[in-house]
Amino acid sequence: MNATRIQSGPAGLAHMPPDTPALEVRDLTLTYPGGFKLDIAHFAVSKGAVMGIIGPNGAGKSTLMAVMMGLERNYSGTILRNGVPLSPRPSRGDSCWGSRKASWRLSRDSRRCMSAVFQSPLLLDDTVAGNLLTALSFKGIRGSAAHRETDKWLTYFGIPQLARHRARLLSGGEAQRVSLARAFAGSPELIFLDEPFSALDPPTRSALIGDLAEILTQTSITALLVTHSLDEMVMLCGQAAVMINGQIRQVGTPEEILSHPGSQEIASLVGMENLYEAEYHSGAKTFTLCSKQIPWPVLPASVSAQAPTVSATPGPTILAGFRPENALLLSPGQTLPWPGTSFSGMIKRITPGTSGYRLTISGELDMIVECGRHDYLQQRWLTDQSVQVAVPHHGWHVINTRD
């Protein structure tokens, strides 16, 4: 990607208060035949932010995106773009809509300020440049300005050489780059990304995510990404929301969601595989696991605000857990490199992966530990080998099970 600073950003937003969200949802409900219900009390995306929505299949992620894009209108609640409410059903008596002509004008202008990229590129049977020029024409940009904009975005996505190629002859990765360039052309206020990398092979996906991350950083265009991939959430998003059964269950940075999930269900979704019942001791601000007292972890402020209050009554009222990559297999004679707690066990299974190994360990605690390829090749751990596993105090997370 060209290293030149990308100039973009809609000038029309300059008069808006800086804290007005680019997109906001209030008291949204939508029920489908069969019982699925979307129920979002509040959800907001700040200007210039890249917000991810992650959740299992059937959680309602794409449905929520369709509502926010105006593709699904059979809902109740309020959608605001830059602080302006958009009605799901225009009314002739509403002064904001006034007439069918006014209703169409607002809808047209709203569509002009946003773009979308889906799993399939959905390109026109035209040249690559023709796809961008058609999209720009829809946004009111024509002539030499449209050609300059087309050249600029094809260059930023690394495909200027494809300008005259027919879109139907492109590879999957090339076609998705064209789709992204088309979405960014004209510098929209808001871009919706609905699992745009799911059909790509790993090397193509990795390269495209890297380029997109750089472009999003430079343009400060607001983006909303729906994904199943934790990697995509971490690489692209500054904030993320976890969606389960039609509801937003947690909002925070990717690191907060991965390391401090708000419930056992979220912990399972984001890969916190090591969870155990533990005894909480309010006076000492510790919890006990395998007769070992472990200091209560310090949670980030944004997580603490969402976390339920833990009962002061001692007993198995909490779940304590850590991520597989937060544990360390100690070499013989090695001391803990940081304040932490060690547990003895035996390796029962070693599973190789692309970047390292997953070790299934049984002992004081049954656990999964991820070991980097370099560390594994140095130590050559074996099945049925006795080991000590250390978990740093800052690597623990706790979840209240009484709420």
Side-chain angles (χ1 to χ4, degrees):
M1 196 196 101
N2 195 313
T4 305
R5 174 74 182 180
I6 302 174
Q7 299 298 322
S8 72
L13 295 182
H15 68 283
M16 298 297 297
D19 57 347
T20 301
L23 185 66
E24 188 174 8
V25 174
R26 299 177 184 171
D27 300 319
L28 172 67
T29 59
L30 184 154
T31 303
Y32 281 127
F36 176 78
K37 182 179 181 181
L38 201 63
D39 186 6
I40 310 295
H42 185 260
F43 176 67
V45 184
S46 302
K47 289 187 184 70
V50 181
M51 170 68 80
I53 302 179
I54 193 163
N57 288 330
K61 305 182 298 296
S62 294
T63 301
L64 176 58
M65 181 172 281
V67 171
M68 293 186 289
M69 290 175 63
L71 301 178
E72 170 61 73
R73 299 192 172 214
N74 190 30
Y75 65 87
S76 63
T78 305
I79 309 292
L80 301 97
R81 294 194 186 120
N82 299 314
V84 178
L86 302 181
S87 169
R89 298 185 184 85
S91 168
R92 296 182 65 89
D94 191 328
S95 60
C96 292
W97 297 84
S99 67
R100 292 183 67 182
K101 183 177 180 181
S103 168
W104 175 83
R105 186 182 301 117
L106 181 58
S107 176
R108 178 197 63 193
D109 292 344
S110 177
R111 284 179 292 165
R112 279 181 171 177
C113 76
M114 65 183 187
S115 297
V117 180
F118 301 97
Q119 295 180 38
S120 299
L122 303 177
L123 299 177
L124 301 173
D125 187 12
D126 196 350
T127 63
V128 166
N131 270 270
L132 272 70
L133 290 168
T134 300
L136 288 166
S137 176
F138 177 76
K139 296 176 181 179
I141 304 173
R142 300 178 179 85
S144 60
H147 284 277
R148 286 195 300 272
E149 190 76 359
T150 295
D151 292 342
K152 179 178 80 172
W153 286 105
L154 290 181
T155 299
Y156 283 133
F157 278 97
I159 48 173
Q161 73 281 4
L162 299 180
R164 296 189 179 184
H165 290 215
R166 303 297 298 188
R168 58 186 169 83
L169 301 178
L170 301 175
S171 69
E174 290 171 339
Q176 202 63 313
R177 283 183 179 269
V178 175
S179 184
L180 284 162
R182 181 178 63 181
F184 276 83
S187 299
E189 295 175 21
L190 183 62
I191 289 182
F192 294 93
L193 305 167
D194 191 356
E195 300 192 58
F197 313 108
S198 61
L200 303 180
D201 61 78
T204 301
R205 172 179 170 270
S206 179
L208 184 51
I209 289 174
D211 286 348
L212 178 59
E214 187 175 350
I215 289 170
L216 285 169
T217 299
Q218 292 197 24
T219 60
S220 296
I221 290 175
T222 307
L224 189 67
L225 170 71
V226 163
T227 180
H228 287 94
S229 168
L230 298 176
D231 289 339
E232 290 174 17
M233 177 183 73
V234 170
M235 289 187 283
L236 290 171
C237 302
Q239 289 279 305
V242 180
M243 195 168 184
I244 296 174
N245 293 331
Q247 297 180 328
I248 300 291
R249 298 289 181 85
Q250 184 175 352
V251 178
T253 66
E255 174 59 27
E256 288 169 352
I257 289 171
L258 290 174
S259 297
H260 303 286
S263 69
Q264 186 173 0
E265 197 169 14
I266 296 173
S268 176
L269 176 69
V270 301
M272 185 172 280
E273 299 172 82
N274 303 310
L275 282 173
Y276 314 95
E277 272 200 348
E279 248 182 45
Y280 171 58
H281 305 281
S282 59
K285 293 185 178 178
T286 61
F287 61 91
T288 300
L289 193 59
C290 298
S291 301
K292 303 175 190 284
Q293 281 210 348
I294 301 169
W296 190 259
V298 177
L299 302 182
S302 57
V303 177
S304 298
Q306 301 179 62
T309 302
V310 176
S311 167
T313 305
T317 60
I318 66 164
L319 289 176
F322 58 91
R323 297 188 61 79
E325 64 270 25
N326 285 351
L328 174 67
L329 278 167
L330 297 176
S331 306
Q334 181 182 357
T335 58
L336 273 64
W338 20 245
T341 306
S342 63
F343 302 89
S344 60
M346 181 176 289
I347 298 173
K348 291 300 182 184
R349 183 183 303 123
I350 300 174
T351 307
T354 55
S355 59
Y357 292 78
R358 286 169 57 87
L359 283 67
T360 303
I361 295 173
S362 181
E364 287 186 280
L365 293 178
D366 292 339
M367 64 179 78
I368 302 292
V369 175
E370 290 187 0
C371 179
R373 181 172 295 276
H374 175 74
D375 292 337
Y376 178 81
L377 293 177
Q378 273 195 327
Q379 298 298 330
R380 293 291 181 180
W381 306 107
L382 301 172
T383 304
D384 294 329
Q385 181 178 349
S386 295
V387 291
Q388 289 287 319
V389 180
V391 182
H393 291 158
H394 64 264
W396 287 94
H397 176 59
V398 292
I399 299 170
N400 186 5
T401 58
R402 289 190 173 180
D403 288 289

